[in-house]
Structures are given as C-alpha cells and as structure tokens.
Amino acid sequence: MKVLMLNGSCHTEGCTYTALREVGETLRTLGIDYEIVQLGTDPIRDCVACGGCNEQGCVFADDGVNAFIEKARTADGFVFGTPVYYAHPSGRVQSFLDRVFYSSGHVFAHKPAAAIASARRAGTTASLDALSKYFGISRMLTVGSTYWTMVHGSKPDDVLQDEEGLQSMRNLAREMAWVMQCIQAGEQAGIPLPATETGARTNFIR
C-alpha cells in the first residue's frame, strides 16, 4: 500500500514538508510506502471551467496536474499539506486541487484522505477546512487525528520543537494505516462499494 502526499508549499523542504515527512516516516514503520509530490515554484494554471476534461485529466498539460492524477490512480491514500497564507491555503495548492478534483474526482473515490496545515501562528483551522471540502464532494473518507492536524513554526527547526503537532502527525499516520487496512480487508471479504446515484442536477433555488 502507498500514500501519496502533496506539499502545497513553494519551499521544497520547509515546514509543510517537515510535517508531511513525519506522517510518512510513521507510515513506513507500519509497512506502508509514501511519496511526497512537491508543487515547487513553477506556474500553475487556475481552472477556467472550459469543460475540456478528458480521461487523462485536465486539458492543460503544461504543469504537474495530470502527472499527479496518474500517481493518484494507484495510490491507496492521500495527505494534502499546505502552508497558511492569510488564513487560507496557498493559492497554488487550491488552483492545483481545483483542476485535479474537477477533472478526475472519480480517481479519489472511496480512498482515505487527510489535510495538514503549517503556520507561524494562526489560520490553520480555516485552511484545513478548505482542503477537506475536496474530500467531502469526492466520496473520500476523511482521516483525523488526536488534535487538529497542524504544526507551528517559522522554519523546520521550529516545527521539530512542536511536540504536540508532530504527535498529531504520527497519530494521523496510524489512523490512515488502519483505515487503509480496513478497506483492504473489506475488499478481500467481498464487500461491495456503495451504489452511487447520478444525474440529478437542480440548477435553481425555490
């Protein structure tokens, strides 16, 4: 089994990465592999509602969106990480995930996901709330921890001193592993996925 992670920070090995790595290394002790995808600093398009989504993902292939979707097809779980910008996730990670989920939300259905946030001081719960909304609309299972999944600090060394934050990351990893194992056990027992209704679109307000 493998967990795919997204580092929504421009800093390759900054605070968000440090938190994701804590989750990943705990997963590894439980026999689960992980990969951290870095958004980096290259340009990322916004979704322009062009309707050109196809089986490969987004019609625009000049950034990392479709490559991430391909990795997601074979991943068993997900952790999405963001720094806090003005009490919300980075604009880059939101633009990225808007296109990922709008074009290929079915790839993530019935898989567990978690969000983590990194901040100097505040704005973390609003950022976690924004990221978690992608899960709720895509039939994913939201994985929690023993506290809000956030870390605090201005640099990675600060995060490494946030004992409670790192504890939340490790407990998140254990919860994620358990959910993945439960899903695997259900598949082996022949439990079918839930039936999903489609087609109803109420485009007015009464």
Side-chain angles (χ1 to χ4, degrees):
M1 289 188 287
K2 181 176 180 179
V3 172
L4 184 63
M5 303 186 185
L6 181 68
N7 180 5
S9 171
C10 292
H11 301 290
T12 304
E13 296 187 359
C15 296
T16 306
Y17 169 84
T18 302
L20 289 171
R21 187 182 60 191
E22 191 75 11
V23 176
E25 290 304 303
T26 304
L27 286 169
R28 188 161 282 166
T29 66
L30 300 169
I32 296 171
D33 196 12
Y34 76 97
E35 178 184 358
I36 299 176
V37 174
Q38 309 282 354
L39 278 192
T41 57
D42 291 337
I44 296 174
R45 291 175 177 267
D46 288 330
C47 179
V48 295
C50 67
C53 308
N54 54 57
E55 61 273 8
Q56 278 76 45
C58 182
V59 67
F60 298 114
D62 54 355
D63 53 25
V65 165
N66 290 340
F68 184 83
I69 291 168
E70 282 306 305
K71 290 177 183 290
R73 294 182 193 279
T74 56
D76 302 290
F78 302 89
V79 181
F80 300 95
T82 183
V84 173
Y85 291 176
Y86 292 95
H88 62 72
S90 74
R92 296 171 57 74
V93 75
Q94 289 185 288
S95 293
F96 190 89
L97 292 180
D98 279 355
R99 288 169 52 215
V100 164
F101 279 95
Y102 189 74
S103 68
S104 304
H106 63 281
V107 171
F108 300 86
H110 309 120
K111 296 180 181 181
I116 70 166
S118 167
R120 183 191 67 81
R121 185 173 178 86
T124 44
T125 53
S127 296
L128 292 175
D129 179 64
L131 290 185
S132 295
K133 286 183 170 62
Y134 293 105
F135 315 154
I137 201 171
S138 302
R139 296 174 290 162
M140 301 185 81
L141 308 175
T142 302
V143 179
S145 185
T146 47
Y147 195 69
W148 307 120
T149 47
M150 61 182 71
V151 294
H152 291 87
S154 296
K155 55 185 183 297
D157 285 345
D158 295 337
V159 172
L160 293 174
Q161 296 179 59
D162 182 1
E163 295 182 7
E164 187 173 11
L166 294 179
Q167 176 180 266
S168 291
M169 297 302 119
R170 294 190 296 270
N171 285 333
L172 168 62
R174 296 179 184 112
E175 296 291 321
M176 175 72 71
W178 179 77
V179 171
M180 290 166 61
Q181 289 160 358
C182 287
I183 292 172
Q184 184 182 63
E187 291 173 349
Q188 293 170 350
I191 298 173
L193 294 174
T196 303
E197 292 187 30
T198 60
R201 293 179 64 87
T202 306
N203 299 317
F204 59 89
I205 298 174
R206 297 187 178 201

